[in-house]
Amino acid sequence: MTSLIGILCLLSALTATSVGLSCISCFSLDATSCTGDSLTCTSKNLCGSTYTENLVGGNITRSYNRGCLPSSECNLKGGISTNQGRIRSIISCCDTDNCSSSIPILPPFNNDLNGVVCPSCVSSNSTGCNPSETIKCKGDEKVCFTQTIKHGSTVITYIRGCTTRSVCDFASREGSPLEGEFVCMSGVSSLQQNLILLCSLILYYCTASIKW
Ligand SMILES: *[C@@H]1O[C@H](CO)[C@@H](O)[C@H](O)[C@H]1NC(C)=O
Ligand SMILES: *[C@@H]1O[C@H](CO)[C@@H](O)[C@H](O)[C@H]1NC(C)=O
Ligand SMILES: *[C@@H]1O[C@H](CO)[C@@H](O)[C@H](O)[C@H]1NC(C)=O
C-alpha cells in the first residue's frame, strides 16, 4: 500500500513537471515577501524570487519579485554601479507549486576599491560619456559595461559603469531579460598588463547583444 502511494506521488510529480509548475507572480517595494496570482510556467521554468537593492544618494530602495524563471537564472548574484548609484540583485528558486524560496541575506554594499576604473555615465538620447566621467570600481565589480537601450534606431538610454562577471555571463545568455545591448570589457587599472591578457577572455565571455 505504501509503495502504491509512493508510485502515485511520483507519477503526479512527473505530470506536474511536464505541464509546468504553478508559481506566484508578484512585485513589492521594501519587502522581502509578496503574494499575487498563480501562473502556470513552461516546463523548463522554476519558481524564482528576485531581491534587489538600489542605492542612490545614500538611500537604499529594496524590491522583491516572484515569478516563473528559467533554471539557468537561479542562483544569480550580481551588481552594477554607475556614478549615479548602485544596484545589486540575488535570485533564488524553488521547484514545487506556488513555493516561495527563501532569499539569502546580502552582505552590506562592498565599498573596497578594487583598482579597476571604468567610464561612467547615465545619459538620455545619446551614446558616449564625457571622458572625464569615470568611476572607481568596488568589491567584485571588476568589469566595465556599456548598456545601450534603443527604441527603434533611437538611443533612449546609455549607461556605463562597473559590474560583476556574473552579470556579464547573465547578459550573454540566450533570452536574457536585461534590456537593450549589454557589453562588458576590461577596465583600466594599475595592473594593466594582467588586464590586457584578461581583456580578450572578457571580451570572449562577455560581449553580448541582447534584443527583447
Ligand atoms: C496556487 O495558488 C493559487 C492561488 O493562490 C491556487 O488557486 C492554486 O490552487 C495553487 N496551486 C497549487 C498547485 O497549489
Ligand atoms: C534620501 O532620503 C531622504 C529622506 O527620505 C530624502 O530627503 C532625500 O531626498 C533622499 N535622497 C535621494 C538622493 O533620493
Ligand atoms: C530625448 O528625446 C525625446 C524625443 O526626441 C525628447 O522628448 C526628450 O525630451 C529627450 N530627453 C532628453 C533628456 O534630452
Side-chain angles (χ1 to χ4, degrees):
M1 203 55 184
T2 334
S3 61
L4 183 60
I5 291 168
I7 289 165
L8 285 176
C9 288
L10 180 63
L11 279 177
S12 64
L14 288 173
T15 315
T17 312
S18 63
V19 167
L21 286 172
S22 296
C23 296
I24 302 293
S25 169
C26 58
F27 175 82
S28 71
L29 280 174
D30 267 314
T32 51
S33 68
C34 65
T35 192
D37 293 339
S38 181
L39 303 178
T40 303
C41 307
T42 63
S43 60
K44 286 177 186 160
N45 283 359
L46 298 178
C47 297
S49 301
T50 308
Y51 175 69
T52 300
E53 286 185 349
N54 200 332
L55 175 69
V56 177
N59 297 341
I60 296 183
T61 321
R62 298 170 176 85
S63 61
Y64 181 78
N65 73 305
R66 293 169 67 187
C68 306
L69 275 185
S71 54
S72 60
E73 288 175 21
C74 297
N75 306 316
L76 175 88
K77 184 178 154 199
I80 282 178
S81 295
T82 69
N83 54 4
Q84 318 253 315
R86 302 177 74 182
I87 297 175
R88 61 198 186 135
S89 285
I90 191 161
I91 296 177
S92 63
C93 296
C94 57
D95 60 1
T96 55
D97 283 317
N98 290 342
C99 63
S100 178
S101 61
S102 59
I103 293 292
I105 293 166
L106 285 170
F109 277 98
N110 185 334
N111 288 319
D112 297 338
L113 301 180
N114 59 30
V116 176
V117 177
C118 296
S120 185
C121 63
V122 178
S123 56
S124 309
N125 293 359
S126 67
T127 54
C129 301
N130 183 324
S132 66
E133 293 181 297
T134 57
I135 182 174
K136 290 179 176 163
C137 302
K138 294 171 179 171
D140 56 358
E141 296 176 0
K142 295 177 179 165
V143 183
C144 300
F145 78 93
T146 302
Q147 185 174 22
T148 313
I149 302 168
K150 291 181 179 175
H151 185 75
S153 60
T154 312
V155 171
I156 49 170
T157 310
Y158 181 79
I159 304 168
R160 294 188 78 165
C162 315
T163 191
T164 53
R165 184 69 69 81
S166 59
V167 170
C168 296
D169 291 345
F170 180 68
S172 62
R173 280 183 194 147
E174 189 85 26
S176 158
L178 282 176
E179 203 175 348
E181 185 186 50
F182 197 96
V183 178
C184 296
M185 66 220 88
S186 75
V188 177
S189 85
S190 46
L191 303 167
Q192 281 245 0
Q193 280 175 326
N194 291 346
L195 275 172
I196 286 164
L197 276 177
L198 272 176
C199 182
S200 52
L201 282 174
I202 288 168
L203 283 172
Y204 178 77
Y205 283 114
C206 299
T207 306
S209 174
I210 294 100
K211 307 242 153 43
W212 273 101

